[in-house]
Amino acid sequence: MDPQVEVPSYFVCSISMQIMRDPVTVCTGVTYDRESIEKWIYKLQKNTCPATMRVLDNRDLTPNHTLCRLIQQWCIANSSMGVPLIAPPDEPLDRNHLNELLRDIEASPPPPFLVKVLKILRTLAEKNEDNRRCIGSSKAPAVLIDVIESQSEEAEETGCYYDVAVTCEEALGILHALHLPDESVETLATTRCLAALGSILKRGTTNARVHAAVLLQKASMKGVERIVVNGNDDLTEGLLELLTEEVCHKATVAALEMLIAMSINSRRSRVKAIEAGAVSILIESLAEQTLERKSTCERMLCLLDLLCRCAEGRVAMVDHAMGIPMVSKKIFRVSQMVNEKAVRILWSLCQFSPSERVLNEILHAGAVTKLLMLLQVDCTPKTKCKAREILKLHGDCWRSSSCVPTGMYPSNI
């Protein structure tokens, strides 16, 4: 655009500082570009007007058709000066069209046609926030959940997973894009739906598995107890496979948070995860975590700590050659939270599994020296207390060892 062309200030969105394509007015009377203000309200979770900082009494966005026409006319008039033409805003979603699509889906057509209809609905959902709210407030979530459940059941009966995998990927993609009402989120925690999601986590496409994990994460916030009661082995194993394969960061975080939520609320869930190989998976995954993935490392240590509160988890921890060395290695290298969880794991081993082999391995992994250092540095009171307990418990075994620097072990411990 020619730098000499002066853009009228009221054509420019005060958030993006770009010419508005789809101007909408909020309840304070200020106009913004729709994409920018939707991101401000829905993605950044702000409840104020960006320009005035007044609290928004409602989230209604009123299209400013007059300003939209003026912007388009100005762009056309100045196109010879290099001003880009602004595409007209998308038409609002037609309710009749939406209901027609939902009727087609409910008719349970053959997979190719069903996928075609779902793709149309997904395109509409991904187009803009208004469409997502419109679809989310309709019966679409219930219809889509029913598709996932019925398709998964059919696949289990017939053993034919390909068409089902593609269909469920589209249905889950739509649900993932929507702001689901509470009743739909609660439906995700029913036995039938969890069975379907567990099957998808084990045998679905990559995108379907990611969407399934994120939806489960949403459901857990509404009541993880129901997921614990209604969950199955596929659910736990599928979440652990996502960790093993490291499909993407979002899937890893969702899987870890789900497993943590389930483990906090149920010993049965912890044992189920341990039997599925969770301890080995976490230890080996920790070896690959970098400082850039601090939050992932923290979640992994949190889950490992929960699992080590069971005898089965401690056995799996001790039996893994990298178990104690990996936990010891993470102390001082990531964050205060990792220090706390790592020390809590070592405390569990020293308190409940203090065999000669375990105590020697803790010593030779350098953990005793790190525990002594924790007493001298700034760390959380809980971490310091657990470190002191460990050192006091097994001081007679470690104090005179050549692995501990001379004079470092306090005599009063």
Side-chain angles (χ1 to χ4, degrees):
M1 187 170 72
D2 191 324
Q4 294 184 348
V5 176
E6 185 176 345
V7 181
S9 60
Y10 53 93
F11 286 2
V12 177
C13 173
S14 57
I15 300 175
S16 67
M17 302 309 294
Q18 302 293 322
I19 298 174
M20 289 182 277
R21 172 177 173 267
D22 186 4
V24 292
T25 304
V26 297
C27 60
T28 59
V30 182
T31 298
Y32 303 97
D33 189 59
R34 181 184 293 276
E35 183 179 348
S36 299
I37 192 63
E38 284 182 348
K39 180 179 178 182
W40 173 267
I41 294 173
Y42 296 105
K43 187 172 181 180
L44 300 180
Q45 296 293 305
K46 304 289 188 180
N47 68 341
T48 55
C49 170
T52 65
M53 294 312 293
R54 284 170 51 195
V55 174
L56 297 173
D57 296 329
N58 59 66
R59 295 183 173 186
D60 294 342
L61 304 178
T62 306
N64 192 327
H65 297 298
T66 302
L67 181 58
C68 186
R69 283 194 296 272
L70 287 172
I71 290 172
Q72 290 177 356
Q73 290 168 3
W74 181 85
C75 289
I76 291 169
N78 290 276
S79 59
S80 61
M81 303 291 286
V83 174
L85 297 178
I86 302 294
D90 299 317
E91 291 294 322
L93 178 60
D94 185 282
R95 280 276 184 179
N96 292 330
H97 180 44
L98 173 60
N99 291 333
E100 184 181 335
L101 291 172
L102 294 176
R103 282 194 295 271
D104 287 342
I105 294 169
E106 288 179 298
S108 299
F113 184 75
L114 179 56
V115 170
K116 182 180 178 181
V117 178
L118 288 170
K119 282 182 180 291
I120 294 170
L121 187 58
R122 186 172 180 176
T123 300
L124 291 170
E126 291 174 348
K127 187 168 285 187
N128 57 55
E129 187 63 38
D130 274 355
N131 283 7
R132 287 190 283 278
R133 280 183 300 191
C134 180
I135 296 169
S137 62
S138 71
K139 65 176 181 177
V143 171
L144 293 167
I145 289 171
D146 187 62
V147 166
I148 292 164
E149 293 172 344
S150 57
Q151 289 285 311
S152 297
E153 288 169 358
E154 184 180 328
E156 292 296 331
E157 291 171 5
T158 63
C160 299
Y161 289 99
Y162 177 74
D163 286 339
V164 169
V166 176
T167 303
C168 288
E169 179 180 334
E170 292 300 327
L172 285 164
I174 299 166
L175 288 171
H176 180 257
L178 302 178
H179 301 287
L180 295 177
D182 287 349
E183 57 268 24
S184 297
V185 175
E186 289 171 5
T187 302
L188 295 171
T190 60
T191 303
R192 188 183 181 211
C193 192
L194 288 174
L197 293 174
S199 178
I200 290 165
L201 284 170
K202 289 278 287 181
R203 292 172 280 275
T205 63
T206 299
N207 286 334
R209 293 167 68 204
V210 173
H211 294 327
V214 173
L215 286 170
L216 280 167
Q217 186 184 6
K218 286 183 183 179
S220 73
M221 296 175 187
K222 294 294 180 181
V224 74
E225 295 83 4
R226 291 178 62 197
I227 296 176
V228 169
V229 172
N230 297 330
N232 53 34
D233 290 345
D234 275 354
L235 199 64
T236 301
E237 291 169 9
L239 292 168
L240 288 171
E241 284 180 18
L242 280 179
L243 295 185
T244 305
E245 296 170 21
E246 293 188 343
V247 174
C248 68
H249 182 60
K250 181 189 287 187
T252 298
V253 169
L256 282 169
E257 291 193 353
M258 265 305 304
L259 290 164
I260 289 169
M262 292 164 69
S263 298
I264 287 174
N265 285 270
S266 164
R267 185 185 187 281
R268 176 170 157 263
S269 294
R270 292 198 291 271
V271 173
K272 193 181 289 188
I274 292 162
E275 289 173 347
V279 173
S280 293
I281 290 168
L282 289 167
I283 291 168
E284 287 157 25
S285 297
L286 277 169
E288 299 172 6
Q289 294 305 311
T290 60
L291 285 175
E292 290 74 25
R293 290 290 170 88
K294 182 180 78 170
S295 62
T296 304
C297 188
E298 289 173 343
R299 290 182 176 95
M300 286 182 174
L301 264 297
C302 181
L303 180 56
L304 198 54
D305 171 32
L306 290 168
L307 300 181
C308 284
R309 297 181 190 186
C310 292
E312 297 88 343
R314 292 191 292 275
V315 169
M317 180 74 183
V318 171
D319 285 347
H320 198 295
M322 291 171 57
I324 292 172
M326 185 51 59
V327 170
S328 301
K329 182 181 178 181
K330 294 299 176 183
I331 299 174
F332 288 125
R333 293 199 173 195
V334 185
S335 68
Q336 292 272 31
M337 181 184 287
V338 165
N339 291 348
E340 183 179 318
K341 297 303 178 185
V343 170
R344 182 67 174 74
I345 292 167
L346 294 174
W347 180 87
S348 293
L349 296 178
C350 290
Q351 184 76 19
F352 303 110
S353 307
S355 67
E356 184 179 350
R357 175 196 159 196
V358 168
L359 297 180
N360 282 334
E361 196 165 346
I362 290 173
L363 178 66
H364 290 101
V368 175
T369 302
K370 287 189 174 183
L371 291 170
L372 288 164
M373 291 170 64
L374 282 168
L375 299 182
Q376 303 169 30
V377 300
D378 184 26
C379 64
T380 65
K382 190 181 292 186
T383 303
K384 195 160 286 194
C385 179
K386 288 295 181 189
R388 189 179 295 279
E389 284 183 34
I390 297 169
L391 293 166
K392 186 175 182 179
L393 200 59
H394 301 292
D396 293 342
C397 173
W398 294 328
R399 186 176 281 107
S400 59
S401 171
S402 59
C403 295
V404 179
T406 305
M408 191 173 185
Y409 218 116
S411 58
N412 61 344
I413 290 183

